[in-house]
Amino acid sequence: CYYVDKTPYALRLIREGGHYFLSRPRRFGKSLFLDTLKELFEGNRELFQGLAAETQWDWTKKYPVIRISLGDGVLQSRAELEQRIQAILRTNRETLGLPRPADWPEVDTAGNLSHLIAQAHRSTGQRAVVLIDEYDKPILDNITDAPTATAMREGLKNLYSVLKGADEHLKFVFLTGVSKFSKVSLFSGLNNLQDLTLMPEYSAICGYTDEDVDTVFAPELPGLDREEVRRWYNGYNWLGTSVYNPFDLLLLFRNRKFKPYWFETGTPTFLIQLLAERQFFTPNLSQVVAHEKLLSTFDVDHIPAEALLFQTGYLTIHDSREPLLGNWVYTLGYPNREVESSLNMALLTGYGLSEQHALGTRLALIELLQTRNLAGLEPLFHALFAGIPNDWYRKNQLAQFEGYYASIFYSYFAALGLDIRLEDTTNHGRIDMAVLFNNEVLLFEFKVVELTPQGKALQQIKDKGYADKYRARGEPIHLIGVEFSKDSRNVVGFEVETVHV
């Protein structure tokens, strides 16, 4: 059994403040951290042997803890939400051994929570601790149904508003969730809630660091390629130390196989639909630029794709800068190979390709790359686009999106988990896509012939001297110009030229 000690974070939070919020993707250890706080406040010292809290916590004090988790099941109406909250509060009252007052407001969830907090304080002599897990799940479960999602938001807003008025009875408050809804929409009045999400010192509050892997989990590493472990699963970052998703690592150590464990636990159907509907150029997913307000602006009727991708864990922070005092800009990208490969694989079905068709093409693409048969790429992708049903084009406007064909092309390579460099900067311009595989370099330039005269894609690679950047590798460099036509809905130009160094 392995223990990664997160109690120093808990001790610091308790020492420095009292009301916190943390947004992290699903299966990142948020619930476990809340459990740690709960056991700490309840004084269960035996659970902390060998951890920092064992010698740094006052075990003579015990606090009443109210634990609310909205993560179980799917609630489909405001009435179901109210019933669930009432049941949770009844369970908390029974766990704390508190009698039900005669004036208990059974049908008033906000009043119920307010009474419970005050009663817990009066009965124990210690101010209460409130821990709320998956605070936003009832909204996210209904995000494609705006009226229901709005009703859920209003119900939760009513509940959370209690926390401000009950401040005199509260020792500590901690809320966690996946999304970060705007304060106006969900936390109106709760202006004392400190958001830890983008605080560098708490970047590793959930998840495992490289140091954790090399020390705590050292016995599990023999037999695994350490660098591949890092490439596949590390890289999530919130302006501080990068971390691994715990769910991924624990299953890797158990099964000894590299697989998209985290990604497979939830199909991002809504996300795929949103990216397709908004004609998001998928190569741009590796380098999204956003400001802080955009990342935190999330609501039922306003869902920026960048905010959704970041908050749900499909993109993470790669860089931050302050071009103007007080104005921070972040560069987002995939956290690791697992996410890049799996998300692009899922995106292919959102762009009109059947899963079976996409699988067959991926297998054929792997074989062509492994055998260095680059000429075979043209008929492969020509057959791919020709196989998209005409009826799909009739029902979707995506084919008119300039980046549609290049997005599919890129997503196939990304789905294989290859080393891909997008918009790769040189001293003469930017290479659309560079692929490093099998000790060879593939440089791609994409053009739409309705916008650029045919035959210009390969010529641009040569004219700009894009190969120069990779000559020092001493590997064959393949220059590949790919041209698409929106009218014929297919590849109409495909040229390959190899540079030997």
Side-chain angles (χ1 to χ4, degrees):
C1 190
Y2 302 103
Y3 296 96
V4 175
D5 189 3
K6 298 292 185 180
T7 62
Y9 290 107
L11 295 170
R12 179 176 177 177
L13 289 171
I14 296 168
R15 182 173 64 248
E16 295 182 354
H19 296 72
Y20 298 102
F21 168 78
L22 177 70
S23 168
R24 286 292 185 270
R26 58 189 168 83
R27 293 190 177 275
F28 239 92
K30 302 185 297 294
S31 300
L32 181 59
F33 187 73
L34 287 191
D35 288 340
T36 301
L37 290 168
K38 177 179 182 294
E39 300 297 342
L40 193 62
F41 278 112
E42 290 181 341
N44 295 317
R45 182 173 187 170
E46 64 277 7
L47 298 177
F48 295 86
Q49 292 182 12
L51 303 180
E54 182 182 16
T55 58
Q56 297 179 38
W57 182 253
D58 182 359
W59 298 104
T60 63
K61 292 183 179 180
K62 295 187 178 184
Y63 300 87
V65 177
I66 298 169
R67 180 80 152 80
I68 299 173
S69 176
L70 298 172
D72 296 333
V74 177
L75 303 174
Q76 298 178 324
S77 69
R78 171 77 178 269
E80 289 183 9
L81 174 64
E82 301 288 347
Q83 291 172 4
R84 173 67 59 80
I85 295 172
Q86 292 290 353
I88 291 172
L89 296 182
R90 281 197 299 272
T91 300
N92 273 275
R93 187 178 68 242
E94 292 165 2
T95 301
L96 292 170
L98 300 175
R100 176 179 172 178
D103 60 345
W104 191 267
E106 188 66 37
V107 296
D108 176 6
T109 54
N112 197 330
L113 177 58
S114 181
H115 274 69
L116 178 59
I117 293 171
Q119 187 183 16
H121 183 192
R122 288 194 296 266
S123 298
T124 63
Q126 296 287 355
R127 291 190 295 166
V129 173
V130 176
L131 307 175
I132 301 178
D133 195 16
E134 304 288 357
Y135 87 102
D136 53 347
K137 189 172 183 292
I139 305 174
L140 296 180
D141 283 344
N142 296 279
I143 201 68
T144 58
D145 179 357
T148 302
T150 301
M152 294 294 191
R153 182 192 66 189
E154 294 308 302
L156 293 172
K157 182 178 180 179
N158 180 51
L159 180 71
Y160 302 145
S161 66
V162 169
L163 300 175
K164 178 65 175 179
D167 199 51
E168 63 179 301
H169 301 295
L170 291 170
K171 165 69 177 177
F172 188 86
V173 174
F174 200 104
L175 288 85
T176 75
V178 169
S179 61
K180 181 185 175 185
F181 281 83
S182 65
K183 288 187 177 181
V184 174
S185 70
L186 199 54
F187 299 123
S188 181
L190 199 56
N191 53 14
N192 60 339
L193 199 62
Q194 187 173 2
D195 185 5
L196 306 175
T197 304
L198 291 181
M199 294 181 68
E201 60 268 39
Y202 291 105
S203 184
I205 192 172
C206 293
Y208 300 148
T209 66
D210 253 332
E211 182 181 359
D212 295 330
V213 175
D214 289 331
T215 55
V216 177
F217 297 103
E220 299 290 344
L221 295 177
L224 295 172
D225 186 323
R226 181 67 180 89
E227 191 55 37
E228 285 297 337
V229 174
R230 186 177 288 109
R231 277 197 294 263
W232 261 80
Y233 300 118
N234 193 17
Y236 296 94
N237 193 287
W238 290 271
L239 298 178
T241 304
S242 293
V243 294
Y244 296 76
N245 182 298
F247 186 79
D248 271 325
L249 275 192
L250 295 178
L251 286 178
L252 171 67
F253 293 149
R254 186 186 73 182
N255 300 332
R256 318 302 292 179
K257 293 181 180 179
F258 286 88
K259 292 182 62 177
Y261 297 109
W262 173 77
F263 194 91
E264 289 178 347
T265 61
T267 304
T269 305
F270 169 63
L271 175 62
I272 302 304
Q273 292 174 345
L274 184 72
L275 293 175
E277 289 171 0
R278 297 187 182 178
Q279 301 182 345
F280 207 98
F281 186 46
T282 56
N284 286 347
L285 289 173
S286 66
Q287 46 191 1
V288 174
V289 177
H291 53 80
E292 185 171 1
K293 183 178 180 181
L294 178 64
L295 296 185
S296 60
T297 300
F298 193 95
D299 207 347
V300 173
D301 53 359
H302 181 66
I303 308 174
E306 296 85 351
L308 181 64
L309 286 161
F310 171 65
Q311 293 178 17
T312 52
Y314 299 102
L315 296 182
T316 195
I317 296 176
H318 283 191
D319 185 46
S320 63
R321 55 192 175 90
E322 190 182 20
L324 188 64
L325 186 64
N327 291 271
W328 285 93
V329 176
Y330 303 107
T331 301
L332 310 179
Y334 299 110
N336 49 46
R337 291 280 174 82
E338 177 202 10
V339 175
E340 181 177 18
S341 172
S342 301
L343 181 58
N344 278 281
M345 197 178 303
L347 282 168
L348 289 171
T349 60
Y351 282 92
L353 300 160
S354 69
E355 289 188 16
Q356 190 61 35
H357 195 177
L359 174 60
T361 301
R362 288 200 306 276
L363 294 175
L365 178 57
I366 292 172
E367 183 176 351
L368 291 174
L369 293 175
Q370 289 176 334
T371 59
R372 297 176 169 85
N373 182 7
L374 301 183
L377 294 177
E378 180 179 11
L380 175 67
F381 279 95
H382 194 279
L384 166 72
F385 288 115
I388 299 176
N390 184 65
D391 190 55
W392 184 88
Y393 287 110
R394 183 178 60 82
K395 295 178 180 178
N396 294 271
Q397 298 300 314
L398 273 174
Q400 301 305 312
F401 164 41
E402 289 179 13
Y404 170 69
Y405 299 97
S407 289
I408 291 180
F409 206 96
Y410 154 72
S411 289
Y412 265 105
F413 282 84
L416 299 181
L418 303 180
D419 186 352
I420 299 175
R421 320 285 174 84
L422 294 167
E423 291 293 314
D424 197 14
T425 303
T426 74
N427 59 342
H428 296 296
R430 294 175 182 270
I431 306 169
D432 281 350
M433 183 169 82
V435 179
L436 279 56
F437 176 74
N438 211 13
N439 296 317
E440 297 190 332
V441 178
L442 286 69
L443 304 181
F444 291 88
E445 182 69 26
F446 303 117
K447 297 293 184 185
V448 176
V449 295
E450 283 81 4
L451 303 174
T452 304
Q454 198 162 346
K456 293 294 185 182
L458 177 62
Q459 193 61 45
Q460 178 170 319
I461 302 177
K462 296 165 65 175
D463 292 346
K464 297 286 188 179
Y466 288 158
D468 295 345
K469 180 172 182 175
Y470 291 93
R471 290 182 186 276
R473 295 175 65 91
E475 300 171 344
I477 302 172
H478 305 286
L479 315 180
I480 307 173
V482 186
E483 296 172 342
F484 308 99
S485 170
K486 292 193 291 183
D487 292 337
S488 63
R489 299 170 181 168
N490 215 315
V491 176
V492 294
F494 193 97
E495 297 180 280
V496 181
E497 186 172 311
T498 300
V499 177
H500 293 284
V501 295

